[in-house]
Amino acid sequence: MKKNYQNTLLITILSILLILYLLNPTLIIKSILDYTDLFIKKLFPVSFIFYIISSLLIDYGLVEFLTNTLNLNGATSYVTIMSLISGFPSGAKYTKDLLDKDLLNEKEANYLIRYTHFPNPMFILGSVSTIFISKKIPIIILISLVLSNFIIALFYKEKTSKVKIPQKKEVKDFSTSLTKAITSSIKILIVVYGISIFFFLISVVINNYIKLSPLNFILINGIFDLTKGVFSTPLIQNDIIKANLIISFISIGSLSIHMQVKSIINDSNIKYKNFLISRLEQMILANIIFIILNCLL
């Protein structure tokens, strides 16, 4: 019965959206083109090459090298470093990739999904920095987001015995590995693009048909599409409030980010609940750290 109510509600919402789209097709087409331009110029080039290289590194034994030669936990080290420099939802993708290749067990994968939700550093220090006059605020925002994730990692860390991973003995054909890496990367990016534009259009329709106060406008945008929420914050004059809103949007992620993560881990035993709970924890921790650092620096 509950499932029927949910389906009815979803059908109703989607039908309303379809009608609103048909009433103003020019707005929808323009919004799609604008977002596509942003995606192609900003997100696709960086993410595409990162995903290809990361897939090749896994295929050619980097995880085994980190584990057996450098005496590290190769899988967790790899996912942590790659997600830290490439931004979300790469943490979920790298975790799922290593789980599929049996380089991670389910327990480790469910641990990694909690804290590998890092923003791309260039997004914070480049794009977000243009929102603030003070150049220290974006740096403090980035530090707060990274530290909060590492605190979550320490809190949930359990003692485990390090297991040697057998070195890869077979020689992989580079053209085959490259083709698979490209195919996998494009597939993920198409899903990310489709989900992002779906929720972006919902926020566009709401903003076009409902008159909202500046704060509600920012919150609605942030809930559906993280990027639009972040770049709506200049409607507020106070830099501290702007920073807290940006930290909250990035920590929690938008509905778009959550759907992207769910789509990536959908056919695995990685628990979405772990990701969701830790995003709420990160939001609280990151905002507290920001307030402390902003007072001290």
Side-chain angles (χ1 to χ4, degrees):
M1 186 65 72
K2 182 179 178 182
K3 188 71 174 178
N4 290 335
Y5 284 133
Q6 290 176 343
N7 288 342
T8 301
L9 178 62
L10 183 59
I11 290 172
T12 302
I13 293 172
L14 291 175
S15 299
I16 292 171
L17 285 173
L18 179 61
I19 293 169
L20 294 176
Y21 290 166
L22 292 173
L23 289 175
N24 198 342
T26 304
L27 172 67
I28 301 306
I29 293 171
K30 182 179 182 304
S31 299
I32 291 174
L33 292 176
D34 288 345
Y35 195 91
T36 302
D37 182 66
L38 175 68
F39 180 85
I40 291 173
K41 290 182 178 178
K42 299 292 185 182
L43 177 61
F44 183 84
V46 176
S47 299
F48 184 59
I49 194 65
F50 261 113
Y51 289 165
I52 290 176
I53 292 174
S54 69
S55 181
L56 292 173
L57 287 172
I58 294 171
D59 268 2
Y60 282 90
L62 178 63
V63 174
E64 292 89 341
F65 174 79
L66 292 173
T67 302
N68 300 332
T69 307
L70 300 184
N71 203 35
L72 298 170
N73 187 326
T76 56
S77 299
Y78 175 83
V79 175
T80 301
I81 293 169
M82 292 300 291
S83 60
L84 183 60
I85 62 177
S86 56
F88 43 71
S90 62
K93 181 189 183 301
Y94 300 141
T95 300
K96 175 67 163 45
D97 286 346
L98 293 186
L99 182 62
D100 288 344
K101 295 176 183 292
D102 294 323
L103 296 173
L104 277 176
N105 59 43
E106 290 178 14
K107 187 176 182 181
E108 290 171 323
N110 279 291
Y111 168 63
L112 282 167
I113 200 69
R114 289 184 179 277
Y115 75 88
T116 54
H117 178 76
F118 296 104
N120 188 310
M122 294 310 299
F123 173 68
I124 303 295
L125 300 179
S127 301
V128 173
S129 66
T130 60
I131 296 173
F132 301 96
I133 296 175
S134 171
K135 296 304 176 185
K136 78 170 186 178
I137 291 181
I139 297 173
I140 298 175
I141 288 174
L142 181 59
I143 293 171
S144 302
L145 291 165
V146 173
L147 279 181
S148 59
N149 266 325
F150 283 135
I151 290 172
I152 291 170
L154 288 172
F155 181 79
Y156 286 103
K157 186 175 179 59
E158 297 180 9
K159 289 185 178 180
T160 55
S161 57
K162 189 168 73 67
V163 178
K164 285 278 185 179
I165 300 175
Q167 289 285 356
K168 293 181 183 294
K169 294 182 179 179
E170 75 278 10
V171 178
K172 287 186 172 291
D173 178 67
F174 183 74
S175 63
T176 302
S177 293
L178 181 60
T179 301
K180 288 181 178 178
I182 292 171
T183 303
S184 172
S185 301
I186 290 177
K187 181 179 177 181
I188 288 291
L189 285 169
I190 288 174
V191 171
V192 168
Y193 168 74
I195 292 173
S196 297
I197 205 164
F198 176 80
F199 284 103
F200 172 74
L201 288 177
I202 292 176
S203 68
V204 167
V205 168
I206 292 173
N207 294 331
N208 187 67
Y209 288 99
I210 302 174
K211 188 171 180 59
L212 301 168
S213 66
L215 180 59
N216 287 334
F217 178 85
I218 295 169
L219 291 174
I220 288 293
N221 284 317
I223 288 170
F224 287 102
D225 182 76
L226 184 151
T227 305
K228 192 169 182 182
V230 167
F231 290 109
S232 297
T233 55
L235 292 172
I236 294 177
Q237 298 298 316
N238 189 297
D239 276 354
I240 304 302
I241 296 176
K242 278 194 287 190
N244 288 136
L245 285 169
I246 290 171
I247 287 171
S248 297
F249 292 151
I250 293 175
S251 298
I252 294 180
S254 59
L255 286 173
S256 173
I257 296 296
H258 281 261
M259 290 299 104
Q260 290 170 30
V261 170
K262 285 193 75 173
S263 70
I264 291 170
I265 66 174
N266 188 43
D267 59 346
S268 72
N269 290 320
I270 303 174
K271 297 177 182 176
Y272 167 70
K273 179 182 70 175
N274 291 344
F275 177 79
L276 176 61
I277 292 172
S278 290
R279 298 291 60 76
L280 297 173
E281 294 168 340
Q282 187 190 4
M283 180 189 70
I284 296 169
L285 285 170
N287 276 298
I288 292 173
I289 293 170
F290 174 82
I291 292 169
I292 294 172
L293 291 178
N294 190 60
C295 292
L296 294 175
L297 300 177

